[in-house]
Amino acid sequence: MRRRDRDEIGFQGNFTEIPAGDFKLRIFVRYIMYVLIDTHRFNDELLSCILSLLPQERMLPIITDIARISPDVLDDDEDLGGDIRNSILLETGAYIPGERTVKEFLLAVWLSSSRKECVRRIKDELAQILKTDGFEALTSADPTIRQKALYPLIYSEPVSRIADIFSLTREDIDILVMYFTTINFGLLSDIMEGWTHNELITALSMIFCVSSEAILDRLMADKPLLQNAILEDSTNRRGYTFNISDEIIMYLSFPGGKSMYDRECSLDEKAPCQLASFHVNSVKENTAIDLLRAPARTHILLYGKEGTGKTEYARALAKAAGKTLYVFRQDGGMGKYRGKDDLFRLSLVTSSNDAKDTILLVDEAEPILSTQFASFLSFFGGGGNGHSKGRLNNLLDNAKCPIIWIVNHIGQIDASTKRRFTYSIEFTALPPRAIREHTVNKLAPFGLAASTVEDIASIAARSGLNAASVTFLAESISALPEEMRRDTPEARSELLRRVRALFDSNTRLITGTIPFRAKTGSTYSLDALNTSVDATKIVEAISRYYDAEERGLDLETGLRILLYGESGTGKTEFARYIADTLGRPLLIKRASDILSPWVGISEQQVAEIFREAEETRSILLLDEADSFFSSRENATRSWERTLVNEFLTRMEDFRGVLLCSTNAVATLDRAVMRRFHEAVEFYTLSAEGITELLERYFPEVPFTDNQILDLFVNGSLTPGDFAALRGRLNFHPITADAAYITESLAELSKARRGE
């Protein structure tokens, strides 16, 4: 016979008990044991749970009664019988044996012929406790009465809210409450972990008085509990097992106190920029504001290139709509679980608040909105963000408050989800004038001199960066020593050096290079140009195109202009002048950016160039266009024809301003030529143009009329000749008089013409 540790005998008070304050939990678990005790096997887990539910003052009478109805058990095991008799059957000084002894005794009784009497005695005790606590109905033989009595135990405001959000049935709630109870009472969890899948279904059916088929149906993968990740399933040697999700546990465990907005969101108190500084089409802007003001459910999607001010714009929209903006905190998980956790929390927020004066902002929403990736990987047994598009679409359909969503990319958003957005606005790179205005707004709090602010704004506008870079610039300036912000020449000079360094560093980091110069120099003169079409009218035409675009007019095509003429006549500089004057970024592409020795790569580069121009809302300049627009009639290789075909297609589809420059217009394909709305020829300088540039480049040097006439008659000069001479003089500083300048210009002109 087994010899046990004698130290356990006589040890009292080591039975685990539910805290007295958890009244509903104690009643519910006692009811569960009351139901299961008839059919459940007596094992260590069950006995630990039952003993924890019995009041200490009732333990001794219960064990005494069971010992009296099972004398054979005491006789069969000398040690066990001695322990029990020495503790509970004494006329005086009786005490409760140790827990291990009690468990061994009850297990022995359950295996004996006295099993039924033992079970009945414990069950009667549980029934009496339920009656004393006012829940006698839970012991009724009528399932309907028992179900009704369970309502106050398992229903609460958080449970009801979850049921409403996810459209849970009564059986769903039963299962949810059962698993949540195991979290609060680990001994019940120990029991459930030992169940097979069939035992789980049977037990839940008995406890909640529903059919096994109904329980089994609610635990299927396409039903709300698993579909919404309220329960998470896995398999082991006993079959399917389930665990309640951490988000549900947190929500049910801490239901009181703050509102859902205060718990899951942050009140946005940052001052928004002016709407006008974002240069969003006024029709689109007013539509978004009207939708946000309306009481109906509204989903506004702001998407596009990162760092273009989408978050700032959302703040401005909320202010214009006259509502308070709350920002949803996405802190519900990492890795592959990111998005799933946030989606649940967001569902609670959007379904529990229908305030008419608030707007919810979900920034960086890709993990929540992207479901296509998860669907694709599921074929291979993987998962993307861990939630289904059905669950996401249910959130969008049932939200009670207006929501602004922000993403950089929309490729992974399912089409069925995209259809649920009320309105959307695409953000591309901000034009220089928008960057300029954004910079001025950001620098306003620092009290800098107006001229300093204007200089910094000009640097920012030429940087080729975005609104986020301007925000970082403002933060960097705030960290600089205060004396650097003073209105003195020294402080201003040092501050501008720091600003240039910051923007150059960010430009090189983000783009990998310093962009092409997009601004004309101080010596540039539009009046000096000699063109077949008045250059001023070309600028005005492009300006009208952009005005029409900003008014929301449906432009059927982009604007395509060919600039052609001899080298150095000012074609590229004219493109820079247009971009600078109209406050638009200039995207310059040359043959080296397009042509590739690999098959098909050149065509891909063409597509990417036009896509980049549309995304950044840039004026696109294809410099040296004859390199890739050559006539297909003279093509000797197939890729030469396909490249021109690709250009023709992209030109037709491009919605923007396209400028092409060439020195060899005669070699261009005729179909390409027909695509241009205007062809502007650039001639060598007229006498007036030569005079204009002499005054700009050499204002201190007097020139005679004869010298100017000689340059015009014999020189065939271009603006490029003047720029080349200025560069030579900068490199070899000498005292240049009129004779030296005119002779040098004539030489440069001859060298350019190959004479």
Side-chain angles (χ1 to χ4, degrees):
M1 283 185 277
R2 182 184 69 82
R3 301 295 299 178
R4 294 180 307 283
D5 183 359
R6 306 299 295 176
D7 292 339
E8 69 176 89
I9 299 176
F11 184 80
Q12 302 181 52
N14 58 345
F15 294 97
T16 303
E17 288 189 271
I18 300 177
D22 295 334
F23 177 75
K24 288 186 176 182
L25 175 63
R26 188 168 65 250
I27 295 298
F28 184 51
V29 178
R30 280 175 177 159
Y31 164 71
I32 293 173
M33 292 300 102
Y34 174 83
V35 171
L36 296 181
I37 194 171
D38 283 320
T39 56
H40 202 287
R41 56 189 177 279
F42 266 43
N43 54 16
D44 188 77
E45 291 76 21
L46 180 75
L47 291 173
S48 293
C49 190
I50 290 175
L51 293 176
S52 71
L53 299 170
L54 298 174
Q56 284 285 344
E57 66 273 14
R58 297 299 302 159
M59 290 293 297
L60 189 59
I62 294 170
I63 297 172
T64 300
D65 290 346
I66 294 175
R68 287 172 176 165
I69 63 177
S70 308
D72 52 329
V73 172
L74 302 180
D75 294 337
D76 289 344
D77 189 325
E78 179 181 340
D79 290 338
L80 180 61
D83 293 343
I84 295 297
R85 289 189 177 97
N86 290 336
S87 58
I88 67 173
L89 298 181
L90 300 176
E91 293 183 3
T92 59
Y95 57 87
I96 304 172
E99 184 175 355
R100 286 175 56 188
T101 300
V102 173
K103 287 182 181 179
E104 186 174 351
F105 170 60
L106 293 178
L107 179 59
V109 174
W110 188 78
L111 293 172
S112 72
S113 58
S114 304
R115 175 195 301 180
K116 291 183 179 180
E117 290 82 356
C118 172
V119 170
R120 186 181 303 113
R121 177 66 183 87
I122 297 175
K123 187 171 184 177
D124 288 345
E125 190 69 33
L126 291 171
Q128 183 59 43
I129 297 172
L130 290 172
K131 180 179 179 180
T132 302
D133 288 334
F135 284 85
E136 183 178 6
L138 291 175
T139 65
S140 172
D142 187 340
T144 304
I145 295 177
R146 297 218 311 271
Q147 276 190 335
K148 186 176 181 179
L150 280 172
Y151 287 168
L153 292 178
I154 66 176
Y155 270 89
S156 63
E157 181 181 348
V159 170
S160 298
R161 184 174 295 156
I162 289 176
D164 290 341
I165 292 171
F166 298 112
S167 302
L168 302 184
T169 66
R170 172 61 195 269
E171 290 81 6
D172 293 328
I173 296 172
D174 292 341
I175 298 169
L176 169 62
V177 171
M178 183 70 176
Y179 276 95
F180 181 65
T181 302
T182 66
I183 299 301
N184 290 280
F185 189 54
L187 294 175
L188 182 59
S189 177
D190 294 339
I191 294 175
M192 292 183 65
E193 286 179 1
W195 288 347
T196 65
H197 187 63
N198 289 337
E199 287 173 336
L200 170 67
I201 301 301
T202 300
L204 293 176
S205 171
M206 294 172 58
I207 293 168
F208 296 105
C209 306
V210 296
S211 67
S212 297
E213 291 77 11
I215 296 294
L216 182 61
D217 176 69
R218 303 318 296 176
L219 288 175
M220 300 298 287
D222 60 343
K223 293 301 188 291
L225 289 178
L226 290 175
Q227 187 180 57
N228 296 309
I230 297 173
L231 292 185
E232 299 166 345
D233 63 330
S234 59
T235 58
N236 60 22
R237 60 188 179 86
R238 293 187 176 89
Y240 285 102
T241 60
F242 303 93
N243 294 294
I244 188 171
S245 70
D246 293 340
E247 299 72 49
I248 292 286
I249 294 172
M250 290 295 294
Y251 179 69
L252 294 180
S253 298
F254 306 101
K258 299 180 179 179
S259 69
M260 288 304 303
Y261 262 50
D262 292 330
R263 286 174 53 186
E264 305 293 352
C265 307
S266 301
L267 175 63
D268 188 272
E269 298 179 304
K270 296 181 179 179
C273 298
Q274 296 295 320
L275 278 173
S277 65
F278 294 94
H279 294 267
V280 173
N281 179 283
S282 60
V283 175
K284 294 181 178 180
E285 192 166 274
N286 292 332
T287 301
I289 293 171
D290 290 341
L291 289 170
L292 291 170
R293 284 174 178 164
R297 179 183 70 250
T298 298
H299 295 289
I300 305 293
L301 179 66
L302 308 181
Y303 69 97
K305 192 174 180 63
E306 61 273 8
T308 48
K310 296 186 290 295
T311 304
E312 295 274 4
Y313 188 68
R315 293 192 179 102
L317 281 179
K319 181 179 180 180
K323 295 189 176 183
T324 302
L325 185 68
Y326 282 86
V327 182
F328 176 65
R329 289 193 291 265
Q330 294 193 61
D331 51 13
M334 299 296 291
K336 68 177 182 179
Y337 299 107
R338 176 85 188 275
K340 176 194 68 175
D341 306 337
D342 291 335
L343 182 62
F344 168 75
R345 294 167 46 249
L346 184 58
S347 298
L348 297 179
V349 173
T350 58
S351 299
S352 63
N353 190 297
D354 57 356
K356 301 298 187 295
D357 60 346
T358 61
I359 295 173
L360 182 62
L361 172 62
V362 186
D363 204 351
E364 299 180 357
E366 283 92 345
I368 295 177
L369 294 177
S370 301
T371 56
Q372 283 193 354
F373 184 60
S375 301
F376 174 74
L377 284 188
S378 63
F379 180 81
F380 299 96
N385 50 26
H387 62 264
S388 68
K389 64 181 179 182
R391 182 181 170 196
L392 171 61
N393 292 344
N394 184 63
L395 180 155
L396 295 170
D397 290 340
N398 295 292
K400 296 181 180 179
C401 59
I403 304 177
I404 299 175
W405 303 80
I406 295 178
V407 296
N408 295 332
H409 309 286
I410 61 174
Q412 298 300 330
I413 303 178
D414 191 83
S416 64
T417 300
K418 291 177 182 177
R419 288 194 293 269
R420 285 169 163 81
F421 288 105
T422 316
Y423 200 64
S424 64
I425 299 176
E426 182 180 9
F427 279 69
T428 54
L430 293 177
R433 58 177 172 168
I435 292 293
R436 181 189 297 273
E437 293 175 13
H438 194 58
T439 304
V440 172
N441 289 332
K442 285 293 183 182
L443 297 182
F446 298 113
L448 298 172
S451 59
T452 302
V453 171
E454 179 58 31
D455 286 341
I456 295 176
S458 297
I459 295 171
R462 296 195 302 268
S463 67
L465 293 173
N466 52 38
S469 298
V470 174
T471 300
F472 296 146
L473 169 69
E475 294 173 355
S476 299
I477 290 177
S478 68
L480 294 176
E482 187 173 349
E483 57 266 21
M484 201 176 293
R485 289 179 259 157
R486 293 174 181 170
D487 189 13
T488 65
E490 296 78 10
R492 179 176 177 276
S493 177
E494 181 59 26
L495 180 59
L496 291 179
R497 277 197 293 269
R498 297 292 183 93
V499 169
R500 289 190 185 95
L502 284 168
F503 275 120
D504 286 349
S505 173
N506 287 340
T507 301
R508 194 176 294 276
L509 175 65
I510 294 173
T511 66
T513 185
I514 298 298
F516 284 117
R517 178 172 58 88
K519 185 177 178 66
T520 55
S522 59
T523 56
Y524 185 80
S525 172
L526 189 66
D527 294 334
L529 294 181
N530 187 12
T531 56
S532 61
V533 178
D534 187 344
T536 302
K537 295 186 179 300
I538 297 297
V539 178
E540 292 173 350
I542 297 175
S543 178
R544 286 194 298 272
Y545 174 86
Y546 282 124
D547 288 342
E549 182 185 67
E550 291 182 358
R551 291 199 307 271
L553 299 182
D554 186 14
L555 301 175
E556 296 182 358
T557 181
L559 182 58
R560 301 183 288 272
I561 300 174
L562 176 65
L563 312 177
Y564 69 97
E566 191 176 335
S567 174
T569 48
K571 301 180 293 297
T572 303
E573 283 299 300
F574 180 56
R576 290 192 175 102
Y577 174 84
I578 293 171
D580 189 38
T581 301
L582 300 181
R584 295 278 171 174
L586 179 64
L587 183 63
I588 303 176
K589 296 296 180 179
R590 298 192 171 106
S592 58
D593 300 311
I594 298 174
L595 301 180
S596 169
W598 307 106
V599 176
I601 299 300
S602 295
E603 289 80 357
Q604 293 179 18
Q605 297 280 43
V606 171
E608 176 60 24
I609 284 171
F610 281 94
R611 185 205 62 78
E612 182 183 356
E614 287 193 348
E615 183 180 89
T616 59
R617 298 168 69 185
S618 300
I619 294 175
L620 176 57
L621 171 62
L622 297 179
D623 207 1
E624 303 169 356
D626 49 285
S627 301
F628 30 78
F629 281 162
S630 297
S631 174
R632 287 169 291 181
E633 295 178 358
N634 301 323
T636 58
R637 292 177 289 268
S638 61
W639 66 264
E640 294 176 312
R641 288 185 290 272
T642 59
L643 181 61
V644 174
N645 291 337
E646 182 68 22
F647 264 114
L648 290 172
T649 301
R650 296 297 172 180
M651 288 172 67
E652 289 282 0
D653 294 338
F654 181 57
R655 296 297 181 265
V657 174
L658 171 64
L659 304 178
C660 294
S661 67
T662 179
N663 304 333
V665 67
T667 66
L668 298 187
D669 190 276
R670 286 180 294 178
V672 173
M673 291 294 295
R674 289 196 300 270
R675 296 305 195 276
F676 292 108
H677 299 106
E678 188 73 69
V680 182
E681 184 174 4
F682 282 65
Y683 308 113
T684 56
L685 293 171
S686 65
E688 292 78 6
I690 292 173
T691 303
E692 173 75 15
L693 292 185
L694 285 174
E695 292 176 353
R696 285 184 172 269
Y697 278 90
F698 312 104
E700 304 299 326
V701 180
F703 295 90
T704 67
D705 291 342
N706 288 334
Q707 287 174 321
I708 296 175
L709 182 60
D710 287 342
L711 286 175
F712 172 65
V713 173
N714 303 315
S716 298
L717 292 176
T718 68
D721 296 329
F722 282 82
L725 178 57
R726 169 53 63 190
R728 176 194 296 180
L729 294 176
N730 288 336
F731 188 66
H732 296 293
I734 60 174
T735 302
D737 56 16
Y740 176 85
I741 292 172
T742 54
E743 290 174 5
S744 298
L745 287 173
E747 291 173 1
L748 287 170
S749 176
K750 289 180 180 180
R752 175 174 47 78
R753 299 196 306 270
E755 297 178 2

